[in-house]
Amino acid sequence: MQYTSTRGHTLGSYTDVILEGLASDGGLAIPNELPHVDAALLESWRGLSFAELATAVIGLFANDISEDDLSRLCHAAYDPAKFSTPEIIPVTKLGDNLTLVGLSEGPTLAFKDIAMQFLGEALDFALEKSGGVLNILGATSGDTGSAAEYAIRGRKRLSAFMLSPLGRMSEFQRAQMYSLQEPNIHNLVVDGVFDDCQELVKELSSDAAFKQAHNLGAMNSINFGRISAQIVYYFWSWLRVTDAVATQERAGFEISFSVPSGNFGNVLSGHYARMMGLPIRKLVVATNENNVLDEFFRTGIYRPRNAANTLATSSPSMDVSKASNLERFLFDLLGSDADRLRGLWQQLGADGFVDLASQQSRFLEEFGIVSGTSTHQDRVNTIRSVFESTQVLLDPHTADGVTVAQAHIEPGIPMLVLETAKPAKFPDVIAEALGRIPATDEAYREMLELPQHQIDMPADAAALRAYISEHALHAHS
């Protein structure tokens, strides 16, 4: 399988695009054609472990990696010793038609571990073969950074330059990142919001000469390796939910997903799974008060906000107002027309918004996408009510997903909510919802007390270039 940029450039194979991250033309890598999974193939996957299913699904995209090598990478990534449950992703009923997909059992207690653990293995494998090195340049609104850093910490051919916004993450999230002391980990704290961090990453990654000179790559969701690994758990969830469905009724059995959304990568993976043939009825885009995506899917108007208008909320990992992965969806919406997509971004630069109101009806009719907004009080109320009725404790982002899901539940259609993180990361919100601070595991308390190291930096590309120039890995080192 070969890949193309959303801006029109021809790229290479799967290994090429995971090493490159952002395409040199500023676009995002997409497969030239999505693989199709029919009912028979889907059913043949039912008895697989998660690592085996990952090998099968990712293998549809990574045909330049042998099956034996890919199996080894997936079994290393999804070693049960790294996760708190041997099944890797448990699926738990919260009510008659509501189910929680437990994506936060990995080493950093966030859904991003599922893709990051694989991507860390895959990048290391590709670099060992080529003899190269890669300096990961990324931005995080809370969980991406720690998941990426834990996946590559101590690796000789990989380093991370991770930008995070000053004062915009929880105490737990900061401790998880900034307490890492490995020399290949660089935590750069930017005086700005997440979107400022993301713009810096895009600016440097779009500079082909600087990117090549300093071996820059990406592990956030602009990297298609992340997207391909996230597709796996949509198939896994469907298989688990339909285990209880009569064999003759399984083919075409529809389920819906509610996905807490910031940068749109997680929803995009579900969009691709649906286009591949997975029977998904609805993909519910659940936003917090930074509801640019909700506005877009309700009206067809995409109007990113500036830093001053991006709110600091109690679900901070979703405090995003410029969703990078929306570009991949727009590419599909526009019939794979890269010229038209470039025209949209020119309109965005000139007008501050993109008007696709004429396409809005297609969001649900063709792509099954709906959306909604959850507020601070919504998430507090949802955390409390779900705990009182089920004894399951949700983090605030997952609570946003449950809140928005309620309006889209249909009789006979299971609604699955993708968990974002463990509630231990957000004790203040949990305390507000339950009236008490939840007990903290001893290991987590010790982590909060570890010394932290960070590099403070203005939202300035020149300062970032200078730091990377001084500290980047090079192949001869």
Side-chain angles (χ1 to χ4, degrees), residues 94-161:
L94 296 179
D96 289 343
N97 259 6
L98 197 61
T99 297
L100 182 67
V101 181
L103 299 178
S104 302
E105 306 296 329
T108 73
L109 313 181
F111 84 94
K112 295 176 181 180
D113 285 325
I114 304 296
M116 291 293 196
Q117 286 296 312
F118 168 75
L119 191 54
E121 298 290 342
L123 290 173
D124 212 23
F125 168 78
L127 293 168
E128 285 286 348
K129 288 187 70 174
S130 68
V133 298
L134 197 66
N135 296 292
I136 301 300
L137 176 60
T140 184
S141 55
D143 294 321
T144 294
S146 56
E149 290 175 355
Y150 275 67
I152 71 167
R153 59 190 298 194
R155 295 184 189 265
K156 292 182 173 57
R157 296 184 179 275
L158 286 159
S159 69
F161 295 84

Side-chain angles (χ1 to χ4, degrees), residues 43-247:
E43 193 60 33
S44 74
W45 290 343
R46 184 167 299 278
L48 301 183
S49 68
F50 189 82
E52 291 167 339
L53 181 64
T55 303
V57 174
I58 298 172
L60 298 174
F61 297 94
N63 55 5
D64 60 332
I65 303 177
S66 73
E67 185 176 352
D68 286 345
D69 283 334
L70 187 58
S71 175
R72 179 174 53 79
L73 297 177
C74 289
H75 280 82
Y78 305 118
D79 181 346
K82 296 181 178 180
F83 292 80
S84 59
T85 174
E87 59 196 320
I88 310 301
I89 297 176
V91 176
T92 306
K93 293 203 73 171
L94 296 179
D96 289 343
N97 259 6
L98 197 61
T99 297
L100 182 67
V101 181
L103 299 178
S104 302
E105 306 296 329
T108 73
L109 313 181
F111 84 94
K112 295 176 181 180
D113 285 325
I114 304 296
M116 291 293 196
Q117 286 296 312
F118 168 75
L119 191 54
E121 298 290 342
L123 290 173
D124 212 23
F125 168 78
L127 293 168
E128 285 286 348
K129 288 187 70 174
S130 68
V133 298
L134 197 66
N135 296 292
I136 301 300
L137 176 60
T140 184
S141 55
D143 294 321
T144 294
S146 56
E149 290 175 355
Y150 275 67
I152 71 167
R153 59 190 298 194
R155 295 184 189 265
K156 292 182 173 57
R157 296 184 179 275
L158 286 159
S159 69
F161 295 84
M162 194 59 60
L163 280 59
S164 58
L166 179 65
R168 292 278 183 144
M169 302 194 301
S170 75
E171 179 186 19
F172 191 110
Q173 289 173 316
R174 292 194 300 270
Q176 203 166 48
M177 287 181 61
Y178 305 161
S179 64
L180 293 179
Q181 301 297 322
E182 282 82 358
N184 69 329
I185 302 298
H186 304 268
N187 282 306
L188 311 178
V189 180
V190 173
D191 188 6
V193 299
F194 169 74
D195 293 318
D196 294 318
C197 300
Q198 188 163 254
E199 287 302 313
L200 288 171
V201 170
K202 286 183 177 179
E203 181 173 341
L204 267 66
S205 299
S206 299
D207 182 338
F210 187 84
K211 182 178 180 181
Q212 182 176 12
H214 299 289
N215 305 296
L216 296 187
M219 283 185 76
N220 65 355
S221 56
I222 65 173
N223 191 312
F224 189 80
R226 277 273 305 276
I227 301 300
S228 65
Q230 290 173 173
I231 290 170
V232 178
Y233 51 68
Y234 283 90
F235 283 92
W236 173 265
S237 302
W238 185 91
L239 289 164
R240 299 292 74 77
V241 167
T242 57
D243 276 338
V245 175
T247 303

